[in-house]
Amino acid sequence: MMRAFGGGCRCAGSTSPKMVDNRLSPDYFCKLLKIVWTRTGVRLERTVEGAEQAKGRSGLPDMLDYDLERKRVKMLPGQPGSRSLIRDLNVSLLIELVRRFGLVSRADLARESQLSAPTVSAIVRVLLNRGIFSEVAVAPSSGGRPPILLKLEPKAGYVVGVKLRGDGLTTVVCDLDGQVVKTTETSVALVGQPAAAIKEIAQATRKALSDASIPRSKVLAVGVGVSGIIDSQTGVCRFSHLLGWRDVEIAAPLRQKLRLPVWVDNDVNTLAVAEKWAGDGIEARNFVTLSIGRGIGIGIVIDRSLYRGTAGGVGELGHVVFDQNGPECECGKFGCLEAFVGERALLRRVGERLGHDVSRKELVDRAASHDPATIEVLAIAGHELGLAVANVITLLAPELLIICGEGTELGEPFLTPAIAAIRSQAFADLGRDLEIKSQRWGNDAWAAGAATLALRELFNLPGPGEEHRAIWRWLEA
């Protein structure tokens, strides 16, 4: 059993990635209040007012100081869940601070978390014993005993990420830093075959872990990225036209087969999560991840929170109607943006110009060699893509746009006209002031995004009834 880390607490904290500048989003503020109420049986006062003030507050420690120290919540002796709640908040906060700082002393942890030194020492001692933290260096001292620096031990645990495609799946094993330690590829027909997909995911997960020589005791969770409308709360694929699936349970059968926590989300959302977790979006409050390839999708982060819409149906930019008299899309409708600028559309348009079918490899090679017919098609398609994205920028006004996906391999002939249209056609100065980053693409990037989804959930503050999900519980001695 794990010790209760409740003594000496002045306040507590969260593992949420929303603490980049020590500010807490209103949505997360409200979530925390709900967790406290559910697990202690006490409703915190002034919830709505507190949420409205959250943007201007210094962060979660101040928030709990506001509620706990001023007796807004009274932790009564023997009150169900109160000691466990404070313990989880404290441990969660320290793990997240060490992850974010990279190297940090116990004194710095106490100062940043506003926990008492004895509480910090007690938590750190147990996390050191469990191998979650390690002592790695001695910091310079201005006098007295030099502080020993702590870091999160990346090899303390591992997660698996899986990206599903119509013709197979990519599986990666990542450590706690999100570094890929093993990648495997599986070729199998999955269109219209959800039962086969579940079986293949389970087999690929076991094989990747075996090939990486990862002991079962260090395997923490699995993340799965799937195209389409995904209900991330239930782990159900509501609809995927690329896979030919509707209302397919993914998480539940995989949990049963693997005996591990499993999280499922839209594949582009997993990329946005990865960027927010440790990528180009880590410092951004509002950003959009644009994925271009066979499909066109966006992941939207607003006030440091992933925006999911209703039932996971957000971000399907490829199915915005670009021209209702346009060609038929794979989804069955006509004139979708994807039918103009998706990978299949580009292959068709270039093939029509050349008079023969074109493979993806040939398309990339022709773009790299500046074949005139290919360049002309890509310039037109890039401009069309840019027009659509400019509308997104006008609607959302993000500070950052991250372009990724297989389509980035087409390079400057496709991306330059797209970026030019974004900058010139977005409203007022929204396009000109926008920071745009285009990423080099690797085959395992999708699966690594899914693995990051699992990492984020493991490090995150457990909600009501989710205590079993926290990383420190999975690594209990």
Side-chain angles (χ1 to χ4, degrees):
M1 296 295 291
M2 186 172 182
R3 304 179 43 175
F5 298 118
C9 173
R10 295 199 303 274
C11 58
S14 159
T15 64
S16 171
K18 305 173 186 68
M19 293 179 61
V20 172
D21 64 355
N22 292 323
R23 293 159 71 91
L24 187 69
S25 73
D27 286 345
Y28 198 73
F29 186 98
C30 289
K31 176 186 176 183
L32 182 76
L33 299 181
K34 181 179 179 181
I35 293 171
V36 174
W37 178 29
T38 303
R39 292 178 59 187
T40 65
V42 177
R43 183 191 295 273
L44 275 67
E45 298 179 20
R46 301 176 68 177
T47 299
V48 175
E49 180 182 342
E52 291 298 320
Q53 295 172 349
K55 286 185 179 180
R57 301 189 66 81
S58 63
L60 185 54
D62 283 347
M63 185 278 289
L64 282 182
D65 179 70
Y66 176 84
D67 286 302
L68 296 180
E69 290 294 334
R70 299 188 187 186
K71 312 302 182 185
R72 299 294 181 187
V73 171
K74 191 175 182 182
M75 293 298 183
L76 300 175
Q79 190 173 31
S82 60
R83 180 177 290 272
S84 172
L85 170 65
I86 293 299
R87 174 197 62 201
D88 286 350
L89 293 172
N90 291 346
V91 180
S92 176
L93 175 60
L94 293 192
I95 290 178
E96 177 64 5
L97 287 174
V98 171
R99 187 187 76 83
R100 286 193 169 273
F101 276 105
L103 292 174
V104 62
S105 68
R106 291 169 175 81
D108 287 336
L109 283 178
R111 180 168 54 254
E112 293 292 330
S113 67
Q114 299 184 36
L115 294 172
S116 68
T119 297
V120 170
S121 294
I123 295 173
V124 167
R125 182 167 56 251
V126 173
L127 295 180
L128 284 170
N129 289 339
R130 290 182 185 154
I132 302 174
F133 287 174
S134 60
E135 296 177 328
V136 295
V138 177
S141 175
S142 57
R145 184 178 179 182
I148 297 175
L149 300 182
L150 303 164
K151 78 163 188 174
L152 183 69
E153 180 50 57
K155 306 306 180 186
Y158 297 85
V159 295
V160 176
V162 181
K163 158 64 176 172
L164 292 183
R165 306 182 305 274
D167 60 354
L169 53 113
T170 302
T171 307
V172 299
V173 179
C174 294
D175 63 21
L176 296 186
D177 278 341
Q179 297 299 308
V180 176
V181 298
K182 186 66 182 179
T183 302
T184 63
E185 294 286 347
T186 304
S187 295
V188 59
L190 298 181
V191 175
Q193 302 291 330
I198 299 302
K199 178 181 176 182
E200 292 294 339
I201 293 172
Q203 290 179 348
T205 297
R206 296 187 186 103
K207 183 179 187 304
L209 291 169
S210 174
D211 291 349
S213 300
I214 305 298
R216 169 76 187 195
S217 61
K218 288 196 171 187
V219 184
L220 304 178
V222 177
V224 182
V226 186
S227 65
I229 298 177
I230 310 300
D231 186 337
S232 62
Q233 296 298 312
T234 61
V236 173
C237 173
R238 294 302 179 193
F239 176 71
S240 174
H241 73 280
L242 295 181
L243 290 172
W245 293 4
R246 186 181 289 275
D247 294 328
V248 173
E249 288 193 356
I250 300 174
L254 283 176
R255 289 189 195 111
Q256 194 170 39
K257 286 179 175 293
L258 296 171
R259 303 298 178 186
L260 288 169
V262 177
W263 287 282
V264 183
D265 208 337
N266 171 272
D267 49 7
V268 183
N269 280 348
T270 68
L271 296 180
V273 168
E275 294 298 338
K276 188 64 202 163
W277 179 256
D280 288 332
I282 192 169
E283 299 291 342
R285 177 177 290 277
N286 304 291
F287 72 90
V288 171
T289 298
L290 168 67
S291 171
I292 51 179
R294 181 176 176 183
I296 309 293
I298 56 174
I300 304 170
V301 172
I302 299 176
D303 199 17
R304 298 198 179 86
S305 296
L306 182 67
Y307 179 68
R308 297 184 182 278
T310 301
V314 72
E316 294 291 344
L317 181 63
H319 301 289
V320 171
V321 176
F322 187 73
D323 179 355
Q324 63 180 0
N325 297 316
E328 185 177 8
C329 179
E330 287 186 85
C331 73
K333 296 182 180 179
F334 288 85
C336 293
L337 177 66
E338 202 167 285
F340 288 88
V341 303
E343 182 180 288
R344 288 195 172 186
L346 296 180
L347 294 176
R348 184 194 74 244
R349 294 169 76 171
V350 172
E352 289 172 351
R353 290 294 304 274
L354 298 175
H356 62 80
D357 291 341
V358 176
S359 68
R360 183 178 184 279
K361 182 180 183 305
E362 183 179 352
L363 176 65
V364 173
D365 290 343
R366 285 181 173 273
S369 63
H370 288 80
D371 170 68
T374 301
I375 295 300
E376 183 177 349
V377 170
L378 293 181
I380 295 171
H383 180 75
E384 292 168 341
L385 173 64
L387 292 178
V389 177
N391 290 330
V392 173
I393 302 306
T394 297
L395 288 171
L396 300 178
E399 65 205 75
L400 172 66
L401 171 68
I402 302 171
I403 304 176
C404 55
E406 298 89 339
T408 59
E409 293 181 323
L410 295 172
E412 181 253 349
F414 186 50
L415 297 180
T416 296
I419 292 172
I422 293 169
R423 295 208 182 279
S424 65
Q425 298 303 312
F427 180 68
D429 292 330
L430 295 178
R432 288 187 290 273
D433 295 340
L434 178 69
E435 182 180 7
I436 301 178
K437 295 187 176 182
S438 177
Q439 298 184 342
R440 296 181 63 184
W441 193 250
N443 290 333
D444 58 1
W446 287 108
T452 306
L453 172 69
L455 280 175
R456 187 195 68 164
E457 295 294 341
L458 287 167
F459 278 94
N460 207 0
L461 176 68
E466 297 177 340
E467 297 89 339
H468 62 284
R469 292 186 176 184
I471 186 171
W472 57 91
R473 293 182 180 274
W474 276 89
L475 293 174
E476 284 185 336

